[in-house]
Each structure stands twice: as structure tokens, then as C-alpha cells.
Amino acid sequence: MITPVMPTYARVDLVFARGEGPYLISEDGERYLDFGCGIAVTSLGHAHPHLVAALQDQAERLWHTSNLYRISGQERLAERLVAASFADSVFFANSGGEAIECALKMARRYQYLNGHPERFRTISFTGAFHGRTLATIAAGGQAKHLEGFGPPVEGFDQVPLHDSNALRAAITGETAAIIIEPVQGEGGITPVDPQFLKAVRAAADEFGLLVIYDEVQCGMGRTGKLFGHEWSGVAPDIMTIAKALGGGIPIGACLATEKAASALTAGSHGSTFGGNPLSMAVGNAVLDVMQEEGFLEGVERLAARLNSEIEQVIARHGDVFDHVRGLGLMMGIKSVAPVGDVINAMRDHHVLAVPAGDNVMRFLPPLVINDSHIAEAVAALEAVGQELGS
Ligand SMILES: *Cc1c(COP(=O)(O)O)cnc(C)c1O
């Protein structure tokens, strides 16, 4: 018999009652070190006092007005994101997939308003993940996400990652945009070569296309920069962020240059809940913390430390783990053993991690961990290496 909760997830039989910083505490009182942050969402840990205070304060004052009126928290968060990025303007949504829908619609309408209504196609890359809406599964191009849902939404072409010749060959008179994750997340934590991001930018400029960065997972401090593409120095025209922007409150945002954003005029796009006062209060609080002096440098330091300790474990257990890759605290441990077994074994040692494609275990720890949390996770990894090794 079907469960009242629709069975769309293969869930672990664990229920958490509360969270404290990097720990989750289950209903039966067991503590788990959360090295997944949900999936890269609770990047400041659980129940961060500054975020809790911001949400409580807002909850007592105002929840919702609709976007028929100005929303001060929205104006403040947009100004701050604009000041901290390449962008000139921000649209607020409630999730990553919705932020990407906004980006895709913006690119199509930009071409339409600039005399190219025939340009509506978007090029994406193998290993991509852009969400679960009808358009974003077409963009992601994964057979298992498309199966049974009818003809994929028209207008998406996929080419191999890191192949600039294939990219240029795929551009036609109907191409509007190129969408790429600067660090692929679901696909298996694959940082894109900065040279390839340059090639994407160059091809887009040559053919009049817009570049969309999907930073839903790699954005908001995860890599040690506020946005993952900052490591490459190559800016997009449009960028989506979501997961960590709300620290656990549903939120998404589509940032764009004036050139691109001007395509979405009044009435052309919208959202009932997008940019509501509650999520804006928390988004601003998340930025307060991430923009503190030294915060991102701290992420880099922690990442270097964790990375070198993981490498030592891998060196001892090459029959279980292959290598570690990633950028900052967005790490993937490519495994030899089936990744599901590795993650279950980690959980038996009370450390939570997340699977990804390519038999990779993701470590997406809170950006506020300290050396003792690193030691705890590495000890679990060492134990799992011993247990699963031959
Ligand atoms: C999670 C994710 C999405 C989808 O976000 P939702 O909030 O689940 O809609 C899109 N792109 C990337 C890169 C993601 O990691």
C-alpha cells in the first residue's frame, strides 16, 4: 500500500529531532556529524543563532505581502548580491529549479527582444544537473530523470563537458544560451577547468549567446569564494543560486547583468512566494555571516586541511577509495567500493555524507566546522576504509 508521503525518495530510516551546529540529533538521541548539510543547504550549520534571531524577528513582524508591493528585505538582499557579484539585478524564487526556469526564460526573451525570436535553444553539458521541473530535466538531459515524462521540453542540446570543439559545433542559428555548473554537483563533484569556462564565454560572445552559470550548489561560500566561478575570473550574464542562500529556508535567486535582466519586463515573469519577507530576512542573515572578515579565507583553510587528511586515508585504503576532488569544501571522494556501501558505513560511524554520480561520495560540511569535526569525519573515513577493504 502506498505511504501517505508520496514515495519519490529512497529515504534512510532515520528521523532527526533537532540540529546543533554541525550535528543532527535523531529522535532516539543519537548524534550525527552532518557532512552533507542536507544537500549543501545548511552551510552555516543547524540553528545558527544569527539566523534563528533573524527568522524569529521577522516572524513576529510580517510574513507575506505579495510582490504587488515593495519588499524591503528583498531590496536589501538584491543590493547586497549585486554589490558582491557581476550582476546588476536579481529575481527571487523559492528553489534552485525555479531560479533556473527564470534564467532560461530570460535568455530566450533576451534573444526575442533583440530581434532573434528564432534563438530559443540552450546548450548544456554531460554530467549536468539543473533541477526536476519539465524544462530543467530537459536541460540536465539525464535519461533516468526524463523517462516516462513524455517528449522532453524542446530547446535543449547537450555536449560533452570540456570539449570546446563539440560546443562550437553544437551552436546553431537557434541557440540562445549556454548553461553550465562551474563545479558540477550531482554529476560527481567535477570542477570545470577555468580554461573551458573561458572557451564557453568566448563562444557565447562570438555568436551572441548568453552564459548562464548554475551555482545553486557551488555558490554561497561553498568553494571558499562567495561564488564558485570567481576562481576562474570568467563572469556569466546570468547566474542562479539557491541551496545555501537561505541556510535551510526555501529560496532561490536569478542574478543577471542589466543587459540580460532587462528582458524580463513587468508582467513577463513572477512568483507568489518568491522573495517573501521570511526568506529574505534569513538570506540577509546568511550574507551577514559569510561577509564577515576572514570567513571565506577560513573555508579555504579548512578545505586544505580536510583535503590533505582525506588524501592520507585514501593512500592507506586504495582498495576502497580512488581519489578526492573538488573545490573548497565541495568535495567528492571517488570510491572503488560501491558508494552506497561507503555512505551507509559512514553513517554507522555517525557521519552523514551524500552520494553523487560517478560513484562519488560528497562531503559538503558546514563552512563553520573546526579541526575537531574534521578529525571526527576523517576517523570515520579511516574506519570505513578498514572495514570495506580486502
Ligand atoms: C539542487 C540543484 C538544483 C535544483 O534545485 P532545487 O531547489 O531542488 O529545485 C539545480 N541545480 C543544481 C546545480 C543543484 O545542485
Side-chain angles (χ1 to χ4, degrees):
M1 203 171 62
I2 195 164
T3 48
V5 175
M6 216 174 274
T8 58
Y9 306 97
R11 297 175 195 267
V12 173
D13 186 19
L14 253 181
V15 188
F16 295 109
R18 61 200 167 87
E20 284 171 10
Y23 291 98
L24 280 169
I25 295 101
S26 67
E27 280 189 338
D28 45 17
E30 299 285 316
R31 286 169 78 82
Y32 290 82
L33 182 62
D34 184 4
F35 261 42
C37 287
I39 303 179
V41 168
T42 52
S43 286
L44 298 179
H46 299 280
H48 190 292
H50 186 62
L51 274 54
V52 172
L55 184 60
Q56 275 175 345
D57 174 65
Q58 188 60 49
E60 283 165 13
R61 287 188 295 118
L62 181 65
W63 290 21
H64 185 82
T65 63
S66 86
N67 284 304
L68 294 171
Y69 308 97
R70 289 174 52 197
I71 295 172
S72 59
Q74 221 180 83
E75 292 176 6
R76 179 153 180 265
L77 185 53
E79 276 165 22
R80 297 173 78 188
L81 290 171
V82 162
S85 73
F86 71 95
D88 302 310
S89 200
V90 184
F91 176 87
F92 290 106
N94 310 287
S95 67
E98 275 179 88
I100 291 157
E101 291 274 344
C102 175
L104 296 168
K105 284 177 72 178
M106 185 185 294
R108 288 182 176 198
R109 203 151 191 279
Y110 165 85
Q111 299 291 0
Y112 169 84
L113 291 176
N114 283 279
H116 291 291
E118 75 286 2
R119 293 190 189 171
F120 70 100
R121 307 190 70 84
T122 299
I123 295 175
S124 66
F125 297 93
T126 50
F129 180 80
H130 299 299
R132 296 301 201 104
T133 67
L134 282 169
T136 57
I137 55 176
Q142 277 215 50
K144 69 175 182 204
H145 293 158
L146 288 160
E147 189 194 343
F149 296 116
V153 168
E154 176 70 7
F156 295 93
D157 301 299
Q158 196 160 61
V159 301
L161 186 66
H162 289 140
D163 185 339
S164 354
N165 291 334
L167 168 63
R168 295 177 69 87
I171 296 170
T172 71
E174 292 188 341
T175 308
I178 304 170
I179 185 167
I180 187 165
E181 296 158 80
V183 184
Q184 286 189 343
E186 305 298 313
I189 309 292
T190 309
V192 175
D193 185 342
Q195 290 309 320
F196 189 68
L197 289 181
K198 284 199 181 82
V200 166
R201 181 76 264 175
D205 291 344
E206 185 179 337
F207 294 99
L209 319 179
L210 296 182
V211 174
I212 304 167
Y213 285 166
D214 180 353
E215 293 226 12
V216 167
Q217 191 161 153
C218 69
M220 297 309 295
R222 177 57 49 197
T223 67
K225 301 273 189 203
L226 193 57
F227 304 116
H229 73 271
E230 290 174 35
W231 289 106
S232 75
V234 187
D237 303 290
I238 305 172
M239 175 176 75
T240 55
I241 51 177
K243 291 190 163 92
L245 175 59
I249 281 283
I251 189 172
C254 177
L255 287 65
T257 61
E258 182 168 9
K259 177 179 98 164
S262 304
L264 293 184
T265 47
S268 62
H269 191 55
S271 165
T272 295
F273 293 117
N276 78 81
L278 292 170
S279 64
M280 293 299 106
V282 184
N284 274 302
V286 166
L287 262 194
D288 291 343
V289 177
M290 291 192 179
Q291 292 188 324
E292 273 168 20
E293 187 73 33
F295 180 87
L296 294 170
E297 291 78 1
V299 172
E300 268 192 79
R301 248 195 326 276
L302 289 164
R305 174 83 191 261
L306 178 57
N307 195 74
S308 88
E309 301 226 356
I310 291 172
E311 278 181 344
Q312 291 171 43
V313 174
I314 294 176
R316 284 191 289 273
H317 302 288
D319 50 346
V320 182
F321 310 114
D322 190 76
H323 68 273
V324 59
R325 64 195 188 210
L327 200 54
L329 285 175
M330 188 169 179
M331 291 182 177
I333 300 172
K334 164 101 173 160
S335 296
V336 180
V339 69
D341 295 353
V342 175
I343 283 170
N344 290 341
M346 288 295 290
R347 194 172 56 249
D348 290 343
H349 289 276
H350 288 213
V351 175
L352 304 176
V354 184
D358 197 30
N359 208 43
V360 162
M361 171 167 70
R362 272 180 280 185
F363 269 4
L364 305 162
L367 309 180
V368 292
I369 50 172
N370 61 36
D371 286 347
S372 81
H373 304 121
I374 290 181
E376 205 175 318
V378 169
L381 193 69
E382 171 67 31
V384 169
Q386 285 173 22
E387 283 165 22
L388 299 186
S390 44

